Amino acid sequence: RLNDAVYGRLVAAREAGQLDGFSSLHSVLWSADLQTRNARAVAAAPDLSQRTLDALEAEGFRPQPFRPFVDGLSAPAAPLVFDDLLATPLADMVRHFRVTLTGDAERPDRVAVLTFLRGVTDGPALAAGLTDLPGAHYFDQREFLADTYGSFRERTLQLVLAGLLAVLLMVLLRYRRFGPTMAAFLPSVLAGGVTLGVLGLIGAEATLLNVVALLLVLSMGVDYGVFLAESCDDRTHL
């Protein structure tokens, strides 16, 4: 029933220009509730069986081959369910519309029905149009990946800063003087800061790979800084 409602909202959204199109299980399978209501409406229609045969005959068809179908209008079968489609040639077409969400001890396994959208032009408006349907969720894969990527990048920068602080404390404990400590530590930090500054000036965004590479450069820079500080014969000049 929820998928039926989502289908109706998406049709309205498509007409409003919020998306170009979508692929829905509703095109192949309606809910059991909707099937039952339609079957009852068909069965309650007066003389529908005979009018159907008359219409087919008026179009040049022989009505006899359609007799089983017409007889079924007065005694509809049980609603079609998803598992029925899996036993038909339609199985490969509909299988990807339904996924199972693995649960746990507190929440049992659940079933989710997916609808695939194309050419979304107004994601916020589309999501707002589904908010009053409990259980319906709008998922923007591109936005999700961007947010996840941004979180990883921010967390990596935080870890880089924490690592630099730890390295600074280690170098300070080694030399116990400000001059040698800065000589070993500061050049690599300045180089990394200038690099990020240049990227900002030219409008280039620091990617996660940039941050990881920066960590490698900073580590090697401090290592060589320590090497040069250790190789200095007269530390009074530092």
Side-chain angles (χ1 to χ4, degrees), residues 13-33:
R14 182 179 59 192
E15 293 175 352
Q18 297 174 2
L19 74 162
D20 293 339
F22 60 93
S23 300
S24 173
L25 179 64
H26 184 86
S27 301
V28 182
L29 180 67
W30 295 350
S31 66
D33 179 66

Side-chain angles (χ1 to χ4, degrees), residues 164 186-201 214 217-218:
L164 285 176
L186 196 57
S188 62
V189 176
L190 289 176
V194 170
T195 301
L196 292 178
V198 171
L199 289 176
L201 288 175
L214 178 64
V217 172
L218 291 174

Side-chain angles (χ1 to χ4, degrees), residues 1-98:
R1 290 195 295 268
L2 179 59
N3 193 56
D4 293 339
V6 169
Y7 180 86
R9 300 292 177 87
L10 292 179
V11 169
R14 182 179 59 192
E15 293 175 352
Q18 297 174 2
L19 74 162
D20 293 339
F22 60 93
S23 300
S24 173
L25 179 64
H26 184 86
S27 301
V28 182
L29 180 67
W30 295 350
S31 66
D33 179 66
L34 181 57
Q35 292 183 58
T36 300
R37 287 190 282 114
N38 286 343
R40 290 173 180 172
V42 168
D47 302 327
L48 180 60
S49 298
Q50 188 58 47
R51 288 191 289 116
T52 300
L53 292 177
D54 293 342
L56 290 169
E57 188 173 6
E59 293 296 328
F61 292 95
R62 296 177 56 189
Q64 288 78 11
F66 295 94
R67 178 65 65 178
F69 170 75
V70 174
D71 293 341
L73 296 178
S74 58
L80 188 69
V81 297
F82 187 83
D83 289 339
D84 295 334
L85 296 179
L86 297 181
T88 71
L90 297 176
D92 291 336
M93 186 178 74
V94 302
R95 187 176 286 112
H96 64 282
F97 284 114
R98 189 178 74 168

